[in-house]
Amino acid sequence: MPGAPVEARQLLTNHMAKADLLATTENAQLKTGATIGILGGGQLGRMLAMAAARLGMQTIIYDPAADCPAAQTANRQITADFDDESNLREFARLSDVITYEFENIPLETVEIVGVDAPVKPGISALQISQDRLVEKEFISGLDIATAPFAPVESVEKLQEHLAEFGDKAILKTRRFGYDGKGQILINSPQEAAVGFESLQPNLLIVEGFIDFELEISAIATRGADGNFVCYDPAWNRHADGILRHSTVPAPVADEILKEATTIARKILEALDYIGVMGVELFVARSGELIVNEIAPRVHNSGHWTETACTVSQFENHIRAICGYPLGSGERHANCEMQNLIGDDINQLDAILAEKDAFIHLYGKTEARPGRKMGHVNWLSPLK
Ligand code: AMP
């Protein structure tokens, strides 16, 4: 463009360079020193940023809260709202690849940044996991078992489904539920009516109650080359809807754990997924595996991989989105992960005195009830 003014020429050149880069690097390896943009600045973003730094990458966090946990370990933060288009465009311009650390990122946000940089995992996994109805339809469409479910538009319909599901069901909001929030156990038509009212005006789904033996999760990674690595599924225990403990090995027959891995693989492959996903499953008393939900991101129940595996879920996620080969997910120790929630942080001195405790704190200064402050991995030798 010999005739174009210098400024316009520069803009066009930059734009073409970026477009070229996107076209040629969609699944190619990023170079050392490239910048990974992370949408969301919580502890998952923090641990991703630390893993990225160890691989020689730069990170930039996008979060509305200044000094969020991830910003403390990243190279840079843009502090702005998720609907701030000009800051989102700037974030995307600075990033060679973009990922996210929570699934309730608005889809519009991802669409805006996706114009200027590849987003991995892609938007479809987000779309599916943001709505429990779409998620259950997707999973059962793959011939994978879920709890029986139905959308709920009226109390009468809810009562019908309750009877159909055996008079015990869970009513959930379709969107924005996390850590057990936005859901109610219902045992009778009266409870159905009260529950329905209390969750208005949200879109709702009802699920049959699964009398499970225990809950496990498969933390699975798929690389840009299609390679698949799944960590040993962990046994998870919750309190007040929040994960408290994850244990490997899970006290479940090997064939069931293998089946959980096969299910995870089917889900990731169906989405042509790149990165780490948490697949949460119930082990029914019959031994049947039932998928509860998927989280298209690194997962709290995979924090044990930080210490008990050569390559953690965080590093494998970074490897996948950078187009690198995946590392081994093999476990070299048994491990019990304990979340430090709220006042648990007061036990820190005692935990520090334990010689086999690996401690990871998230840099949060205020210990509110229910707030995840850190976690501990207690290692023991493989038996
Ligand atoms: P969720 O937000 O769907 O992960 O649910 C939080 C917790 O509620 C799960 O970890 C289970 O302990 C329990 N739960 C959820 N759905 C069901 C179900 N259909 N049957 C039995 N328990 C459930």
Side-chain angles (χ1 to χ4, degrees):
M1 289 133 312
V6 176
E7 219 178 24
R9 198 161 58 216
Q10 191 60 46
L11 271 175
L12 275 167
T13 317
N14 287 348
H15 184 74
M16 283 164 60
K18 189 87 190 185
D20 276 357
L21 195 75
L22 290 183
T24 55
T25 62
E26 189 58 29
N27 278 328
Q29 288 191 2
L30 290 185
K31 291 202 167 59
T32 301
T35 299
I36 300 172
I38 302 176
L39 288 164
Q43 59 268 15
L44 299 177
R46 176 186 180 96
M47 291 184 263
L48 285 171
M50 292 167 78
R54 284 198 299 102
L55 287 176
M57 296 299 185
Q58 306 272 314
T59 45
I60 173 166
I61 305 297
Y62 192 102
D63 195 277
D67 197 33
C68 54
Q72 298 168 18
T73 61
N75 298 86
R76 207 176 147 179
Q77 174 178 14
I78 291 183
T79 310
D81 289 330
F82 288 117
D83 61 359
D84 180 334
E85 190 162 345
S86 74
N87 272 307
L88 286 170
R89 295 297 295 265
E90 171 70 357
F91 168 74
R93 204 184 52 72
L94 293 166
S95 302
D96 295 299
V97 66
I98 291 175
T99 192
Y100 43 85
E101 60 108 53
F102 73 108
E103 62 272 34
N104 285 326
I105 292 270
L107 293 181
E108 300 73 34
T109 301
V110 179
E111 275 160 7
I112 293 168
V113 297
V115 171
D116 291 311
V119 179
K120 297 178 187 182
I123 202 164
S124 53
L126 262 186
Q127 227 158 356
I128 290 169
S129 64
Q130 285 186 355
D131 184 327
R132 289 183 195 276
L133 179 64
V134 178
E135 182 178 52
K136 289 245 157 29
E137 283 169 344
F138 166 72
I139 291 164
S140 55
L142 294 175
D143 279 331
I144 296 170
T146 65
F149 65 94
V152 171
E153 273 126 33
S154 68
V155 175
E156 293 71 31
K157 276 276 165 211
L158 175 59
Q159 288 167 335
E160 268 173 41
H161 292 304
L162 179 64
E164 200 182 306
F165 297 159
D167 287 330
K168 192 165 183 182
I170 302 195
L171 183 64
K172 301 181 179 180
T173 56
R174 280 172 52 179
R175 298 174 61 81
F176 303 121
Y178 69 98
D179 286 347
K181 291 189 172 54
Q183 53 181 276
I184 296 175
L185 179 66
I186 48 176
N187 289 290
S188 68
Q190 294 73 17
E191 284 180 15
V194 174
F196 183 85
E197 278 315 313
S198 72
L199 290 180
Q200 289 306 305
N202 298 292
L203 290 174
L204 302 176
I205 179 174
V206 61
E207 296 177 13
F209 183 84
I210 305 294
D211 181 23
F212 56 78
E213 181 147 356
L214 40 84
E215 293 183 78
I216 61 172
S217 56
I219 307 300
T221 323
R222 192 163 170 275
D225 54 5
N227 268 340
F228 177 82
V229 166
C230 189
Y231 295 94
D232 285 348
W235 171 34
N236 301 322
R237 277 94 73 216
H238 301 83
D240 300 325
I242 303 175
L243 182 70
R244 274 209 91 87
H245 294 274
S246 292
T247 307
V248 277
V252 175
D254 282 350
E255 310 84 75
I256 295 179
L257 298 180
K258 231 168 136 187
E259 174 63 13
T261 302
T262 305
I263 289 173
R265 183 173 199 143
K266 201 168 179 183
I267 294 172
L268 271 68
E269 286 181 351
L271 289 166
D272 198 17
Y273 191 84
I274 295 178
V276 167
M277 176 186 282
V279 180
E280 298 179 26
L281 306 106
F282 301 134
V283 183
R285 297 199 185 275
S286 60
E288 188 193 10
L289 282 173
I290 295 164
V291 170
N292 177 34
E293 63 179 0
I294 59 174
R297 53 169 169 77
V298 287
H299 199 260
N300 193 166
S301 69
H303 288 2
W304 63 270
T305 65
E306 205 182 9
T307 326
C309 296
T310 307
V311 176
S312 72
Q313 62 162 346
F314 305 103
E315 179 170 338
N316 259 336
H317 185 78
I318 298 295
R319 283 176 175 240
I321 65 170
C322 290
Y324 293 172
L326 300 182
S328 163
E330 214 162 300
R331 188 163 56 80
H332 54 69
N334 291 343
C335 190
E336 164 107 8
M337 189 283 304
Q338 183 195 338
N339 269 340
L340 299 175
I341 299 169
D343 284 348
D344 290 349
I345 198 69
N346 297 336
Q347 300 160 18
L348 184 60
D349 285 348
I351 298 168
L352 279 166
E354 299 266 354
K355 76 178 171 40
D356 288 321
F358 168 94
I359 304 170
H360 194 141
L361 303 183
Y362 306 148
K364 300 177 184 176
T365 45
E366 199 192 335
R368 294 193 291 271
R371 192 172 199 210
K372 291 175 184 164
M373 304 298 290
H375 65 268
V376 187
N377 288 339
W378 311 89
L379 291 185
S380 57
L382 283 179
K383 284 195 197 85

